[in-house]
């Protein structure tokens, strides 16, 4: 199954519970627009580098489309389609006035110099500037893109359309980014877990054990917030390797190590662990926070955690999802768990439109409110409909997007 098929599998499962008509189902699944562009730049050595860029706009019934840009060799139309549709459902789960989009460039950014990366980003904006915009489609950071990349996007777009900070979120705070945006996805994921632990009468983060896959923006912030709350992060892995310590890793020191060496591997005082072993470690909570499709039918039976906190997008394949459900493992789904990033992106966009800055306390409190309200609705749907959290999240999202679509008229 492709990434888009995977998302639509979950969509259809929820649609069956809702008794959605096949016509509405087809309309909601169908993407609004798919764009594929040539991004050719002059490399530092004078040669021509040709890359392919993508932007998929999935649904705009509830507002401007919103979603990240990923720079990774696996980026293609299917991946962008799947991730764009996830954004439609995610923005609806946390009730933001946005639709869904996603995109990126098929490139390994480690092979480019900073100047090449800047040229690549600016060229991509020149190719897609007429389909993005503050009221149309607002990109944001994702895998291998960061605040600096967002600053280049804002600058290039503004050269063509006039000063437009609201065209992109996740910008540096000095360039009208929002306080709290960098850590928002990680913070939101930990709020989601806390809501669940409280809601299910399972206590708190303190004293529990965690394994985190991915130590970039999302994984490193999840680990920091868990550590701050007294959680024991016993294993962490990234693309270059992993480290484990049953006594719990010193996360602030690990963050420093990873900044210096660009990997968690080799952190002193712990054992090495592979990504495969990390996923099946005996911990209370497993946190996939890297790429998609890492929990599959090949390893789902071996997952020993009782809770999977999906900080990454689409880390669990549909077959693995069924296996985990049969085994009584609670999966808190991506379209709820990692919605903190787009929620604070919404606050950033709103601040840019109002030309006003919010203080971080307000941002954190509002983020927690969004995560809390969404959890309360999801938990009620889980109880009333006897469904998983994922199906509940899709029911909630499809209801909101479906009503907006029908009210606006076809
Ligand atoms: P990032 O580029 O900052 O970090 C990615 C991390 O994953 C790095 O530590 C990298 O080494 C690791 N990784 C890459 N390939 C790997 C592999 N094969 N095995 C193990 N680790 C690997 O990206 P990010 O922004 O932290 O995004 C991580 C996930 O969270 C993605 O699924 C993304 O779509 C999702 N997400 C991100 C945001 C956001 O605000 N950045 C919001 C919502 C969801």
């Amino acid at each position: 199954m492709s990434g888009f098929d995977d998302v639509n599998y979950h969509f259809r499962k929820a649609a069956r519970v809702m008794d959605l008509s096949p016509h509405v189902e087809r309309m909601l699944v169908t993407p609004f627009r798919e764009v594929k562009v040539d991004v050719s730049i002059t490399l530092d050595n004078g040669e021509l580098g040709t890359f392919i860029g993508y932007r998929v706009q999935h649904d705009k019934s509830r507002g401007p489309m919103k979603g990240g840009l990923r720079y990774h060799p696996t980026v293609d139309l299917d991946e962008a389609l799947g991730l764009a549709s996830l954004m439609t459902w995610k923005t609806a789960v946390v009730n933001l006035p946005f639709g869904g989009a996603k995109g990126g460039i098929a490139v390994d950014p480690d092979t480019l110099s900073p100047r090449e990366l800047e040229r690549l980003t600016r060229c991509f904006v020149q190719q897609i500037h007429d389909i993005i915009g503050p009221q149309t489609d607002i990109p944001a950071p994702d895998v291998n893109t960061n605040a600096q990349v967002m600053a280049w996007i804002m600058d290039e777009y503004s050269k063509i359309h006039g000063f437009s900070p609201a065209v992109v979120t996740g910008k540096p705070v000095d360039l009208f980014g929002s306080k709290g945006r960098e850590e928002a996805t990680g913070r939101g994921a930990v709020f989601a877990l806390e809501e669940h632990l409280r809601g299910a009468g399972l206590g708190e983060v303190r004293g529990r054990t965690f394994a985190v896959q991915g130590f970039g923006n999302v994984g490193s912030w999840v680990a920091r917030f868990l550590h701050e709350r007294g959680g024991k992060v016993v294993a962490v892995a990234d693309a270059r390797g992993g480290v484990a310590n049953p006594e719990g890793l010193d996360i602030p020191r690990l963050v420093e190590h990873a900044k210096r060496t660009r990997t968690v591997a080799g952190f002193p005082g712990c054992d090495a662990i592979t990504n495969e072993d990390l996923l099946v470690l005996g911990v209370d909570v497993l946190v996939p926070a890297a790429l998609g499709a890492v929990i599959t039918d090949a390893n789902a039976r071996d997952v020993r955690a009782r809770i999977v906190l999906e900080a990454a997008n689409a880390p669990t394949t549909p077959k693995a999802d069924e296996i985990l459900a049969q085994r009584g493992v609670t999966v808190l789904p991506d379209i709820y768990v990692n919605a903190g990033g787009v929620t604070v992106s919404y606050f950033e966009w709103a601040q840019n439109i109002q030309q006003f800055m919010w203080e971080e306390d307000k941002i954190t409190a509002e983020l927690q409110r969004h995560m809390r309200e969404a959890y309360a609705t999801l938990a009620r749907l889980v109880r009333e409909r006897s469904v998983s959290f994922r199906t509940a999240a899709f029911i909630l999202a499809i209801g909101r997007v479906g009503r907006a679509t029908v009210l606006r008229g076809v």
Side-chain angles (χ1 to χ4, degrees), residues 130-170:
D130 51 350
I131 60 151
I132 61 170
Q135 299 298 337
T136 320
D137 177 359
I138 307 141
D142 195 74
V143 173
N144 292 334
T145 57
N146 56 20
Q148 177 60 74
V149 174
M150 300 306 120
W152 292 328
I153 294 174
M154 179 222 157
D155 183 66
E156 196 62 29
Y157 182 88
S158 294
K159 282 182 195 164
I160 308 166
H161 295 273
F163 185 66
S164 312
V167 68
V168 67
T169 59

Side-chain angles (χ1 to χ4, degrees), residues 352-398:
N352 292 158
I353 302 262
Q354 295 170 6
Q355 297 185 302
F356 196 81
M357 286 287 247
W358 294 3
E359 285 311 315
E360 190 156 355
D361 287 358
K362 173 169 172 162
I363 286 159
T364 307
E366 281 293 311
L367 170 62
Q368 189 166 25
R369 185 174 68 77
H370 274 77
M371 297 307 289
R372 185 164 281 168
E373 287 180 4
Y375 184 83
T377 312
L378 295 182
R380 183 175 52 73
L381 282 167
V382 167
R383 269 195 317 275
E384 288 177 3
R385 305 266 192 142
S386 301
V387 292
S388 67
F389 275 96
R390 193 185 314 275
T391 300
F394 272 87
I395 290 173
L396 177 61
I398 293 168

Side-chain angles (χ1 to χ4, degrees), residues 70 72 90 102 141-144 181 185 213-219 237-239 275 289-291 311-313 338 341:
R70 184 176 284 200
H72 195 274
K90 187 183 303 180
K102 200 83 177 194
D142 195 74
V143 173
N144 292 334
R181 172 60 185 90
T185 308
Q213 184 187 47
F215 206 64
N217 173 291
V218 179
D238 62 25
N275 270 283
L291 297 181
N313 280 313
N338 69 37

Side-chain angles (χ1 to χ4, degrees), residues 285-341:
V285 183
L286 173 63
V287 190
L291 297 181
V294 294
I295 307 176
T296 66
D297 50 339
N299 62 5
R301 281 177 198 83
D302 303 322
V303 168
R304 284 193 277 162
R306 301 314 296 162
I307 298 175
V308 175
L309 185 71
E310 290 190 337
N313 280 313
T316 313
T317 65
K319 273 190 184 158
D321 204 45
E322 301 292 350
I323 295 168
L324 293 175
Q326 281 157 17
R327 296 185 50 234
V329 177
T330 301
V331 178
L332 296 175
D334 47 8
I335 57 172
Y336 167 57
V337 169
N338 69 37

Side-chain angles (χ1 to χ4, degrees), residues 90-383:
K90 187 183 303 180
T91 51
V93 166
V94 280
N95 212 2
L96 306 179
F98 285 141
K102 200 83 177 194
I105 304 177
V107 59
D108 178 359
D110 280 351
T111 62
L112 298 183
S113 71
R115 293 279 74 83
E116 288 170 336
L117 201 61
E118 178 176 351
R119 283 200 289 279
L120 185 79
T121 302
R122 289 185 185 278
C123 179
F124 186 40
V125 175
Q126 284 159 15
Q127 301 288 48
I128 63 164
H129 74 87
D130 51 350
I131 60 151
I132 61 170
Q135 299 298 337
T136 320
D137 177 359
I138 307 141
D142 195 74
V143 173
N144 292 334
T145 57
N146 56 20
Q148 177 60 74
V149 174
M150 300 306 120
W152 292 328
I153 294 174
M154 179 222 157
D155 183 66
E156 196 62 29
Y157 182 88
S158 294
K159 282 182 195 164
I160 308 166
H161 295 273
F163 185 66
S164 312
V167 68
V168 67
T169 59
K171 299 178 293 293
V173 174
D174 285 328
L175 199 67
F176 310 100
S178 179
K179 289 176 183 161
R181 172 60 185 90
E182 191 202 315
E183 55 270 50
T185 308
R187 180 177 266 143
V190 174
F191 282 155
L193 177 67
E194 288 182 321
E195 289 304 316
H196 179 66
L197 293 178
R198 209 180 357 258
L202 295 171
E204 50 183 27
V205 166
R206 179 167 298 281
R208 293 187 175 274
T209 54
F210 299 86
V212 181
Q213 184 187 47
F215 206 64
N217 173 291
V218 179
S220 69
W221 281 108
V222 167
R224 273 182 263 198
F225 289 123
L226 292 173
H227 184 81
E228 261 177 38
R229 286 158 167 76
K232 239 194 219 185
V233 181
V234 299
V236 167
D238 62 25
R240 297 178 186 194
V243 286
N245 183 341
E247 300 309 315
L249 297 159
D250 182 339
I251 297 298
R253 281 190 47 225
L254 182 58
V255 168
E256 289 308 313
H257 170 87
K259 260 192 201 141
R260 219 175 31 251
T261 64
R262 302 187 65 209
T263 176
V264 294
F267 184 52
C270 10
D271 301 321
I273 186 169
T274 63
N275 270 283
E276 292 73 30
D277 289 343
L278 177 139
L279 294 170
V280 297
L281 207 61
V283 287
D284 296 319
V285 183
L286 173 63
V287 190
L291 297 181
V294 294
I295 307 176
T296 66
D297 50 339
N299 62 5
R301 281 177 198 83
D302 303 322
V303 168
R304 284 193 277 162
R306 301 314 296 162
I307 298 175
V308 175
L309 185 71
E310 290 190 337
N313 280 313
T316 313
T317 65
K319 273 190 184 158
D321 204 45
E322 301 292 350
I323 295 168
L324 293 175
Q326 281 157 17
R327 296 185 50 234
V329 177
T330 301
V331 178
L332 296 175
D334 47 8
I335 57 172
Y336 167 57
V337 169
N338 69 37
V342 70
T343 301
V344 177
S345 274
Y346 162 54
F347 302 156
E348 180 174 333
W349 177 79
Q351 290 171 81
N352 292 158
I353 302 262
Q354 295 170 6
Q355 297 185 302
F356 196 81
M357 286 287 247
W358 294 3
E359 285 311 315
E360 190 156 355
D361 287 358
K362 173 169 172 162
I363 286 159
T364 307
E366 281 293 311
L367 170 62
Q368 189 166 25
R369 185 174 68 77
H370 274 77
M371 297 307 289
R372 185 164 281 168
E373 287 180 4
Y375 184 83
T377 312
L378 295 182
R380 183 175 52 73
L381 282 167
V382 167
R383 269 195 317 275

